Amino acid sequence: MTMTNNAKPAADPATDESRKTVKRDALMAIEKQWQKDWEERAVFELDMPEDDSVAPEMLHDKHPKWMGTFPFPYMNGVLHLGHAFSVSKIEFAAGWERLKGKRALFPFGFHVTGMPIKAAADKIARELEMFGPEFAIPGENEGELEDQMEEMTVDGAPKAGGNFRSKKSKVAAKTGNKKYQFQIMQDQGMSNAEIAKFADPENWLKHYPPIAIDDLKAMGCKIDWRRSFLTTDHNPYYDSFAQWQFNRLREMGKIKFGKRYTIWSAKDGQPCMDHDRQSGEGLGSQDYTCIKMQVLGWSPEAEAVASAIPELAGKKIYLVAATLRPETMYGQTNCFVGTKLEYGFFQSANADEVFVVTERAARNMAFQGLSPTDGQVTKLGSISGQAIVGSKVSAPLSRYSDGVYMLPMENVLATKGTGVVTSVPSDSPDDYAALRDLKKKTDFYGIKPEWVESFEPVPVISTATYGDM
């Protein structure tokens, strides 16, 4: 009796894997073959046609042309799927125009101006100081360093209606869920020694553009790479062209140099546009009107604080409120301060005037010509919101020309406006409810009845049927 062994030999995992990708590999081999051929024959390099058989003005009738370009991608990282999607549109258009017999020119540039590269380089420099050249995070829990590396997030970003919109900025979209810049670059296969070089902004300009070119070549894009360049003075020809444009527009009176309201980076000393931010894309500046309310009489607690600051002697002191509705100031009956907030006495641009606002508000105002030195805060002293309660201030344009009182409110935010809030019950249901509540519970809120009893909402309209309302 003969025994046979029908067992199959063990499969080679490597062979099985190659079988799965054989079609893909074949297609990619064809791609590389023809991409190499295109590059060797320089089929996408186009110059001005030379044809003496036609008049110059008829040259483009015989040799029709087409040109398209792509918004320069920013070189603070590798190109991503969004770039590929967008560039595919012009890539297909260039191919279609070539099929129609046109001389299709597709040049490509790289954007390296602005703040993102500098910001990313600064992060690497800061992380080198924190973690050393090996980027060793002390402890197993990275949360221990949250206070040192504060996450830049913005709550309440504008919604985009029914359309999809990423909550991340273009800068943040490149970082994924990594917390530190060096971690992002480690994911790209860089060694710690290589990453350390990126503390120099110039290294970003040397590293990422060649990678982008290789990726676009692998995609088969019909680009004339002779015409590739970086923005800024790394390409003096393009840089001079941009300068010429601005100088020409200025001569025509189309642009001028000056100040405007914008999101400003105090650290970098320049505006911080949408795509420069780690978060907060789509947010703009909020325009407030500041109401200067001169102090007519301090509360006893505030008087004790103010008299102990010699720099305040002989100066006019104003509590400065920020409002979005200055037209309603005719109906102001009182003003609120946060009882748990700390306010400061800040020297204004006028030598004899001092503003009482929060630290954040003073810093913002310092960049708007409202402090002695642009961008610098001059703080003379501090005072608590609780101490200010009971002080009397003038209310410009209000019916109560003898002044109104500063009253307590617990939910005043130091991160909004100046921390000093006007109260106009005739126009605001919230202010109306707050004033009514204060009148009913003077003891509970620790205020004197005379601070609220004689102050009634100012009528805004008169009707024949209902009278003043």
Side-chain angles (χ1 to χ4, degrees), residues 359-417:
E359 185 94 27
R360 176 182 177 275
R363 187 173 67 252
N364 283 336
M365 295 164 76
F367 290 98
Q368 302 177 54
L370 297 175
S371 65
T373 304
D374 190 51
Q376 296 182 18
V377 171
T378 303
K379 189 174 182 179
L380 307 178
S382 300
I383 186 171
S384 69
Q386 185 61 55
I388 297 174
V389 172
S391 300
K392 193 173 187 179
V393 297
S394 66
L397 304 179
S398 173
R399 170 180 173 179
Y400 298 100
S401 56
D402 292 336
V404 298
Y405 288 95
M406 305 300 302
L407 301 179
M409 179 176 281
E410 293 184 356
N411 60 352
V412 175
L413 300 176
T415 55
K416 188 174 183 180

